[in-house]
């Protein structure tokens, strides 16, 4: 059983300040433009918020920048990411499967990954678009974190996930007490309630947890064409998605290259030089995103590549809701 | 060392094959050891990168040929390049032809147009040890006699080789053409093979791959004995960028050579 401590909220905040001396710490802070991920410093660290929900952007932006020169050397600073939710941790696992594939390790991703300490949190205020529980996932982190925080009324429970997490905790120099069974039970009760809230708020969407088989049987369904009608091919869905990994290798000067995010929603994405294109029609590209997430990546890497964070639903200009698409497929 | 970084290769020679196809003989700064059917990524500095399967024998170590048709931005620039110019090269990537599964069998090589490029590499490989195969048949089709690649090698070497049976066709003949007229699949009616046990290696434009495969199945070839070189948009070559995804496969890692039974259930294969 992993070690779980409890600390007072104030003590935790003081501890975070101590970390600023050694690490680049990013966390969600209150700003004029709403809550956003920022590099914390002495001035803004007090504005650190415990949002309770997953935030934009996803962790992908930190580990896999929009554009990165992949020929020159980089030395990223040791970084701590705070406020990461369970959905994003599951997304990191899917990115790992691609970029840390032992056959070809992407050193740029690996370096950032190795240099990033993740302090995750239980989600306790899910958004309307969140649907992780409908996929059988949990709104709280189960693995993949260095430290995980559970906010209870006046205290924080800290679960240590790795030795590195323990080291960070030691550096915070705060008084730690091991959590007792009552506190753990309180946390677990809250976790259960959050999961129920998510199921409750998604009641009108009816699709099975086993989306793999749902899709396998519906490749030719008219639903793809119907829902693709309002798609404007803006790539917002793939950009905000924490598990989308596709990129273009852009040619720079002197044999240098950059990898730049690309989208399977782009018409030229799969086109070959001779002009052949397996996904000429918009609905085919639309369908491909679902198949990639729920079928192909399950078959290729053993991991579903949708984590139920609902960012694509929020971002869509065409008001396309993945949950509605799945519901219509299940009809 | 970045997995994305190419090494340099000097263009040693440029051979005009047809009005739109050239063969480039490259000398990489370090030898690139490949097995036949694997591919490399070639960079035109500042322009772009594209995948090509070497058309030379893997037994030749210091040089490597790529036969390239002018069809897009990168290949147009390549066609402007001359002897002495430098390109980038990385690889080899993917899985080539599984020769060990072909030993002792009748082997059919079915090519169309510039699709002869990887097949030449394959052909040169099997001709190194022709005794290991029961029979080697080469069927090649081009649009017109002018569009035939490796003309000299065809006529002076392959058509004279006692281990090799060669059949050629052109879609539209001219006054010089004495061989078959018609699409390449008509050649398959000109001879018989031990279809149950024979293996076929197919490469060409998508439409030819499709009808070639259907014809082979009709003749009695088993799906697992038909090897296809799939042309998809292999960009990184490393199973990361996603462009060459074909259902559950990345063509760059799991291919580019697939036996037909591996991919027959995937709807997007022929496009």
């Amino acid at each position: 059983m992993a070690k779980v401590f409890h600390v007072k909220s104030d003590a935790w905040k003081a501890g975070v300040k101590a970390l600023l001396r050694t690490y680049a710490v990013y966390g969600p802070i209150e700003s004029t433009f709403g809550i956003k991920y920022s590099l914390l410093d002495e001035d803004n660290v007090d504005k650190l918020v415990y949002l309770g929900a997953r935030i934009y952007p996803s962790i992908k932006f930190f580990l896999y920048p929009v554009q990165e020169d992949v020929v020159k050397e980089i030395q990223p600073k040791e970084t701590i990411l705070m406020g990461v939710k369970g959905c994003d941790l599951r997304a990191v696992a899917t990115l790992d499967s691609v970029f840390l594939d032992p056959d070809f390790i992407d050193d740029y991703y690996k370096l950032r990954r190795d240099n990033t300490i993740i302090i995750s949190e239980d989600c306790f205020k899910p958004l309307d678009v969140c649907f992780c529980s409908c996929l059988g996932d949990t709104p709280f982190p189960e693995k993949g974190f260095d430290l995980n925080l559970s906010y209870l009324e006046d205290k924080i429970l800290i679960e240590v996930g790795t030795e590195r997490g323990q080291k960070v905790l030691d550096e915070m120099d705060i008084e730690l007490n091991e959590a007792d069974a009552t506190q753990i039970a309180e946390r677990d009760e809250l976790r259960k309630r959050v999961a129920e809230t998510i199921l409750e708020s998604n009641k009108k969407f009816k699709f099975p947890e086993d989306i793999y088989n749902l899709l396998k049987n519906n490749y030719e369904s008219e639903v793809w064409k119907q829902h693709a009608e309002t798609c404007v091919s803006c790539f917002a869905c793939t950009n905000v998605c924490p598990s989308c990994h596709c990129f273009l290798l852009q040619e720079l000067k002197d044999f240098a290259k950059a990898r730049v995010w690309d989208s399977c929603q782009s018409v030229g994405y799969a086109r070959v030089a001779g002009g052949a294109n397996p996904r000429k029609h918009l609905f085919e590209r639309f369908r491909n995103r679902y198949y990639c997430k729920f079928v192909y990546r399950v078959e290729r890497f053993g991991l579903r590549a949708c984590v139920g964070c609902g960012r694509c639903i929020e971002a869509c200009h065409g008001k396309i809701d993945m949950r509605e698409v799945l519901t219509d497929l299940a009809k | 060392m970045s997995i994305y970084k190419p090494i340099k290769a000097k263009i040693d020679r440029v051979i005009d094959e047809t009005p739109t196809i050239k063969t480039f003989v490259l000398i990489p700064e370090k030898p690139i050891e490949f097995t036949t059917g694997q591919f490399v990524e070639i960079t035109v500095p500042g322009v772009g990168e594209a995948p090509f399967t070497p058309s030379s024998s893997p037994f030749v170590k210091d040089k490597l040929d790529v036969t390239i048709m002018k069809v897009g931005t990168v290949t147009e620039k390549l066609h402007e390049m001359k002897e002495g110019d430098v390109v980038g090269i990385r690889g080899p990537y993917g899985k080539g032809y599984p020769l060990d599964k072909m030993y002792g069998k009748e082997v059919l090589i079915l090519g169309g147009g510039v699709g002869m490029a990887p097949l030449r590499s394959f052909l040169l490989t099997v001709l190194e040890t022709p005794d290991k195969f029961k029979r080697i048949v080469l069927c090649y089709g081009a649009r017109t006699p002018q569009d035939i690649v490796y003309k000299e090698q065809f006529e002076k070497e392959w058509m004279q080789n006692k281990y090799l049976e060669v059949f050629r066709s052109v879609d539209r003949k001219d006054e010089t053409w004495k061989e078959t007229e018609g699409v390449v699949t008509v050649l398959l009616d000109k001879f018989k093979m031990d279809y149950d046990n024979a293996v076929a290696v197919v490469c060409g434009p998508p439409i030819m791959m499709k009808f070639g495969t259907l014809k082979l199945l009709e003749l009695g070839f088993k799906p697992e004995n038909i090897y296809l070189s799939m042309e998809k948009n292999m960009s990184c070559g490393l199973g990361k960028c996603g462009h060459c995804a074909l259902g559950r496969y990345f063509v760059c890692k799991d291919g580019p050579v697939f036996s037909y039974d591996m991919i027959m259930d995937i709807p997007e294969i022929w496009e």
Side-chain angles (χ1 to χ4, degrees), chain B residues 18-259:
Chain B
T18 78
T20 55
I21 301 171
K22 290 182 181 183
T23 293
F24 296 81
V25 181
L26 304 177
I27 305 181
E29 56 187 3
K30 278 182 291 210
I32 291 188
E33 298 224 358
F34 62 95
T35 61
T36 185
Q38 284 190 302
F39 71 98
V40 294
E41 293 281 347
I42 292 182
T43 297
V44 180
V47 177
E49 201 177 34
F52 302 99
T53 300
S55 52
S56 52
S57 164
F59 292 95
V60 178
K61 301 290 182 195
D62 55 333
K63 290 183 185 179
L64 172 153
D65 295 1
V66 277
T67 302
I68 296 173
M69 183 157 73
K70 190 160 72 170
V71 279
T73 326
V74 175
T75 51
E76 265 171 34
K77 261 287 184 280
L78 272 165
H79 270 240
E80 290 169 12
M81 297 182 91
K82 304 268 176 287
E83 285 165 20
D85 287 346
V86 174
V87 294
I89 187 168
R90 55 189 181 90
Y93 298 124
K95 296 185 173 66
Y97 297 107
L99 288 167
D100 52 334
K101 289 190 183 162
M102 304 178 185
Y103 293 146
K105 293 187 174 173
E106 296 191 2
V107 178
L108 169 68
I109 302 171
L110 181 63
V114 75
M116 191 60 216
L119 297 179
R120 183 175 74 160
S121 174
F122 175 78
L123 176 65
L124 295 174
T125 309
V126 296
L127 288 179
E128 286 282 331
T129 53
D131 294 338
K132 285 189 178 173
F133 305 91
K134 206 164 162 191
R135 186 180 172 195
I136 308 164
V137 185
L138 168 61
C139 293
Y140 176 69
R143 270 181 310 185
T144 71
Q146 283 72 44
D147 292 306
I148 290 177
V149 292
Y150 314 129
K151 283 184 199 77
E152 216 181 289
Q153 222 170 357
F154 255 112
E155 279 149 35
K156 294 200 177 138
E157 295 174 31
W158 300 336
M159 290 163 105
Q160 317 302 330
N161 191 311
K162 62 172 180 162
Y163 294 104
L164 190 59
E165 297 160 59
V166 179
F167 299 86
R168 299 196 300 181
S169 72
V170 292
D171 296 352
R172 287 188 312 279
K173 68 175 178 184
D174 62 12
E175 62 284 355
T176 65
W177 190 250
K178 302 281 181 291
E179 297 164 57
T180 308
E181 185 183 39
V183 291
V184 66
T185 44
V186 303
L187 297 174
L188 300 172
D189 294 324
K190 292 191 170 294
F191 57 92
K192 293 224 173 331
M193 295 184 87
D194 175 15
Y195 299 121
D196 275 353
N197 298 303
V199 298
V201 175
V202 188
C203 188
I207 187 90
M208 174 257 157
M209 299 268 282
K210 178 177 177 177
F211 288 104
T213 303
L214 295 178
K215 176 77 182 180
L216 294 174
L217 292 168
E218 191 189 300
L219 288 171
F221 276 84
K222 292 187 180 128
E224 64 268 31
N225 288 336
I226 302 173
Y227 294 97
L228 306 168
S229 287
M230 299 306 291
E231 188 203 11
K232 293 288 162 192
N233 187 2
M234 292 94 91
S235 168
C236 74
L238 308 157
K240 311 220 179 302
C241 80
H243 286 85
C244 68
L246 179 68
R248 60 190 169 277
Y249 301 114
F250 282 137
V251 173
C252 70
K253 269 196 81 182
D254 305 308
V257 176
F258 290 95
S259 56

Side-chain angles (χ1 to χ4, degrees), chain A residues 70-71 98-101 103-108 216 219 245-249 251-252 255 257 259 262 268-274 276-280 288 296 299-301, chain B residues 1-6 8 43-49 71 86-88 90 93 206 231-233 235-243 245 247-250 253 267-268 271:
Chain A
V70 285
V71 173
V98 176
F99 292 110
L100 302 181
D101 165 4
D103 290 342
F104 300 104
I105 291 174
D106 182 316
D107 287 331
Y108 295 82
K216 274 259 162 181
Y219 191 81
H245 65 85
C246 291
F247 62 84
L248 204 80
L249 265 187
E251 213 46 49
L252 306 172
F255 298 100
K257 290 178 199 304
R259 55 162 157 60
D262 196 8
Y269 176 85
R271 187 170 53 209
V272 298
N277 188 349
R279 296 187 285 278
K280 281 185 222 49
N288 183 67
Y296 304 149
E299 292 174 340
R300 203 178 289 149
F301 297 114
Chain B
M1 172 80 181
S2 166
I3 51 172
Y4 304 102
K5 191 175 179 173
K8 287 178 184 157
T43 297
V44 180
V47 177
E49 201 177 34
V71 279
V86 174
V87 294
R90 55 189 181 90
Y93 298 124
E231 188 203 11
K232 293 288 162 192
N233 187 2
S235 168
C236 74
L238 308 157
K240 311 220 179 302
C241 80
H243 286 85
R248 60 190 169 277
Y249 301 114
F250 282 137
K253 269 196 81 182
E268 297 176 342
E271 303 253 358

